[in-house]
């Protein structure tokens, strides 16, 4: 796979001073759960997974970058402004 000449995660991190309380998440998919990398990409993007996750966590200011691993499977780097306690947020929403 050809590299773009820059690393999206590095670009996001270089802008962290623009955020009041910067945070970063990296989301990957489990290849065992999908029949192809394209299927995983379609499911996450068409279902607006990143937007729904940020909403669930109470984050309104964020930006994400998509990268593909050597295997062809996608992963997302998400930079957001704010503090989240993932365990508390997900536990509260399930109840």
């Amino acid at each position: 796979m050809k590299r773009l000449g820059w690393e999206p995660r590095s670009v996001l991190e270089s802008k962290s001073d623009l955020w009041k309380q910067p945070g970063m998440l990296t989301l990957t998919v489990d290849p065992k759960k999908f029949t192809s990398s394209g299927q995983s990409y379609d499911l996450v993007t068409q279902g607006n997974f990143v937007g729904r996750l940020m909403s669930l966590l109470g984050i309104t200011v964020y930006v994400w970058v998509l990268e593909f691993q050597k295997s062809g499977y996608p992963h997302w780097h998400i930079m957001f402004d704010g503090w989240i306690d993932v365990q508390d947020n997900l536990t509260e929403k399930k109840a």
Side-chain angles (χ1 to χ4, degrees):
M1 176 166 89
K2 184 177 179 183
R3 303 303 286 193
L4 297 175
W6 53 274
E7 295 293 331
R9 180 177 173 184
S10 297
V11 171
L12 288 177
E13 288 175 340
S14 74
K15 304 297 182 189
S16 66
D17 61 328
L18 301 175
W19 304 78
K20 293 177 186 174
Q21 203 169 17
M24 181 171 268
L25 293 173
T26 299
L27 304 176
T28 61
V29 298
D30 182 353
K32 296 175 188 167
K33 306 261 184 203
F34 300 97
T35 58
S36 69
S37 58
Q39 181 193 34
S40 66
Y41 172 82
D42 290 345
L43 180 71
V44 173
T45 55
Q46 291 173 3
N48 188 28
F49 180 80
V50 172
R52 291 186 300 127
L53 175 63
M54 294 293 100
S55 178
L56 178 70
L57 295 174
I59 300 295
T60 57
V61 178
Y62 63 92
V63 62
W64 58 267
V65 174
L66 169 68
E67 287 184 308
F68 291 91
Q69 300 173 21
K70 290 179 184 178
S71 65
Y73 281 86
H75 68 274
W76 291 259
H77 297 290
I78 306 166
M79 184 173 216
F80 56 92
D81 196 16
W83 173 257
I84 59 171
D85 184 329
V86 175
Q87 187 63 38
D88 285 349
N89 276 332
L90 294 180
T91 302
E92 288 175 17
K93 301 297 181 182
K94 286 182 180 178

